[in-house]
Amino acid sequence: MKVPLLDLKRQYATIRQEIDGAIREVVESQVFIKGPKVAELEAKVAEYCGTKRAVGVASGTDALLLSLMAYGIGRGDEVITTPYTFFATAGSVARLGAVPVFVDVERATYNLDPALVEAAVTPRTKAIIPVHLYGQCVDMDPLMEIAAKHGLVVIEDACQSIGSEYKGKRAGAIGHVGCFSFFPSKNLGAYGDGGMVTTNDPAIADKLVSLREHGQTEKYFYWTVGANSRLDSLQAAILLVKLRHLDAWSDGRSRNAERYNARFAGTAVGTPHREPHCRHIYNQYMVRVRERDALEAHLKANGIGCALYYPMPLHLQTCFKDLGYKEGDLPESEAAARETLSIPVFTELTTEELDYVADTVLAFRGRA
Ligand SMILES: *Cc1c(COP(=O)(O)O)cnc(C)c1O
């Protein structure tokens, strides 16, 4: 049997009419930049996340970049974050001439360990970027306390976690701003690139609206140098359709995760740890085994799609060599990079396919 890691064609098949209608409407209007669809999506995402405002941008990467810019973070400033994340988290910091300061993750959740954060704060620290990895929120209460104590901005990288909850609050509504990506493989995925920033601070939202259009105050007048980073109407129209299905899809992923958890219970296959006060949306379902590379080869040989997120933690990347980190500095991040593997968990996965994946993983364990 062949099982893909993610099959978006199956999702499209369930919403084809709605999507095709939404695309046709935008094409007939010939309004492709800004326009009513973007404004409607911004209002709906703000409502969904529980924030006052949401500002559409061109990608999750730009959501991070423009958020940092909105708080004036730049050359010489330090930003504390995790090295076990997608590159954009730290890449956006470095692009502004600021310095990413990497702090290790918790072994169980793979998320930034709040207990290690305060020791990394210096007089130059301006912000913290917690990443809600794989669909589960960082332990935000202690982090917000540290941020308040030291006057730091908290920029949630919620790119993998739209709809994820922490003690009743949604991702993107806990820190000062929340950054979302609509990259096709996220739980809410566009048909191209897209992103959004959520915030309860109207002044920051207004700054973001300006920054995404070159820093303009009014047409052809600029208070700062921003970017061209707009969300386009076609993507907004598609996302408006998909947002209506998002909770059902995330629940489907959660059900699949629970079935895997039951299949792997009592074996040596490590399963994702869900904190009881969190809603996990399972953008990825990670298994943890010592012989990860051998398991990856075994699954691929048996037709199962799987992926390494992320094989090289950011503190060891060539582009960050000058920051001076070495192997062994952030052991939990390095262990996670070595020992984890993402297996198919998408909503439309059939029970038969899921059991085949579980059987194949367990057969490997039986042999090892
Ligand atoms: C996907 C992702 C991003 C970047 O989003 P893009 O839309 O691809 O630019 C940033 N951070 C994390 C954790 C992500 O998963």
Side-chain angles (χ1 to χ4, degrees):
M1 193 188 295
K2 268 208 174 328
V3 185
L5 180 60
L6 174 64
D7 183 358
L8 288 169
K9 287 184 187 163
R10 295 190 206 176
Q11 186 194 69
Y12 175 55
T14 68
I15 52 172
R16 186 188 304 267
Q17 273 195 329
E18 288 172 275
I19 291 282
D20 292 2
I23 291 174
R24 196 174 321 112
E25 195 188 325
V26 173
V27 172
E28 272 165 13
S29 79
Q30 290 289 302
V31 176
F32 297 113
I33 303 294
K34 300 198 275 189
K37 290 293 178 190
V38 173
E40 191 184 342
L41 182 70
E42 288 174 337
K44 290 262 161 70
V45 168
E47 187 192 341
Y48 183 82
C49 293
T51 58
K52 288 195 184 125
R53 298 279 297 275
V55 179
V57 294
S59 68
T61 303
D62 277 5
L64 290 160
L65 192 74
L66 298 188
S67 293
L68 289 161
M69 288 168 76
Y71 284 101
I73 290 161
R75 197 151 298 283
D77 295 334
E78 292 179 358
V79 178
I80 294 171
T81 191
T82 163
Y84 186 58
T85 175
F86 179 61
F87 182 74
T89 312
S92 56
V93 173
R95 267 180 65 191
L96 293 171
V99 181
V101 173
F102 295 114
V103 166
D104 212 355
V105 298
E106 299 173 332
R107 186 173 181 82
T109 63
Y110 308 118
N111 276 334
L112 188 66
D113 187 343
L116 304 177
V117 166
E118 196 159 21
V121 175
T122 77
R124 282 200 291 273
T125 309
K126 289 284 158 58
I128 308 174
I129 308 183
V131 180
H132 306 316
L133 202 68
Y134 302 141
Q136 175 163 252
C137 287
V138 171
D139 189 7
M140 291 298 286
D141 278 352
L143 208 64
M144 294 308 293
E145 249 172 62
I146 295 164
K149 186 172 157 195
H150 297 276
L152 309 176
V153 174
V154 176
I155 297 171
E156 293 175 64
D157 182 339
C159 285
Q160 301 183 5
S161 290
I162 189 162
S164 170
E165 288 171 14
Y166 173 82
K167 299 184 181 174
K169 276 194 181 167
R170 288 239 159 123
I174 311 165
H176 297 90
V177 290
C179 298
F180 294 91
S181 165
F182 303 128
F183 186 78
S185 67
K186 313 288 180 176
N187 283 33
L188 181 63
Y191 289 178
D193 277 311
M196 188 84 68
V197 183
T198 54
T199 184
N200 281 316
D201 183 340
I204 286 295
D206 290 344
K207 261 192 182 173
L208 289 163
V209 167
S210 167
L211 284 167
R212 73 176 170 188
E213 288 195 286
H214 300 290
Q216 70 177 23
T217 39
E218 55 188 295
K219 210 169 170 84
Y220 306 131
F221 291 86
Y222 310 89
W223 68 278
T224 189
V225 180
N228 173 5
S229 181
R230 290 172 297 232
L231 179 66
D232 72 68
S233 303
L234 273 172
Q235 300 305 340
I238 288 160
L239 291 163
L240 276 166
V241 169
K242 293 180 86 173
L243 184 58
R244 297 199 285 267
H245 302 274
L246 177 60
D247 280 324
W249 289 335
S250 292
D251 290 347
R253 285 172 172 267
S254 192
R255 272 196 303 279
N256 288 341
E258 275 161 28
R259 191 173 175 92
Y260 276 133
N261 289 345
R263 293 294 318 270
F264 297 141
T267 75
V269 179
T271 56
H273 170 80
R274 187 178 67 77
E275 291 287 349
H277 54 266
C278 287
R279 178 192 185 206
H280 199 318
I281 61 154
Y282 296 98
N283 181 244
Q284 305 292 339
Y285 183 95
M286 305 302 286
V287 291
R288 184 168 195 147
V289 293
R290 243 179 234 290
E291 317 78 4
R292 191 272 315 276
D293 292 347
L295 176 62
E296 182 194 17
H298 172 74
L299 294 185
K300 286 192 168 153
N302 284 282
I304 295 169
C306 54
L308 306 186
Y309 297 114
Y310 296 90
M312 169 80 77
L314 300 186
H315 66 291
L316 300 177
Q317 296 284 348
T318 307
C319 65
F320 290 139
K321 215 172 46 213
D322 292 348
L323 297 178
Y325 293 93
K326 57 183 188 317
E327 222 173 313
D329 282 348
L330 301 166
E332 288 304 341
S333 299
E334 292 165 30
R338 262 194 322 268
E339 297 172 2
T340 63
L341 184 68
S342 167
I343 61 173
V345 73
F346 64 95
T347 312
E348 299 81 8
L349 194 71
T350 66
T351 307
E352 194 191 6
E353 287 172 322
L354 189 150
D355 283 334
Y356 171 69
V357 176
D359 289 342
T360 311
V361 172
L362 291 168
F364 169 81
R365 290 299 316 175
R367 239 188 24 193

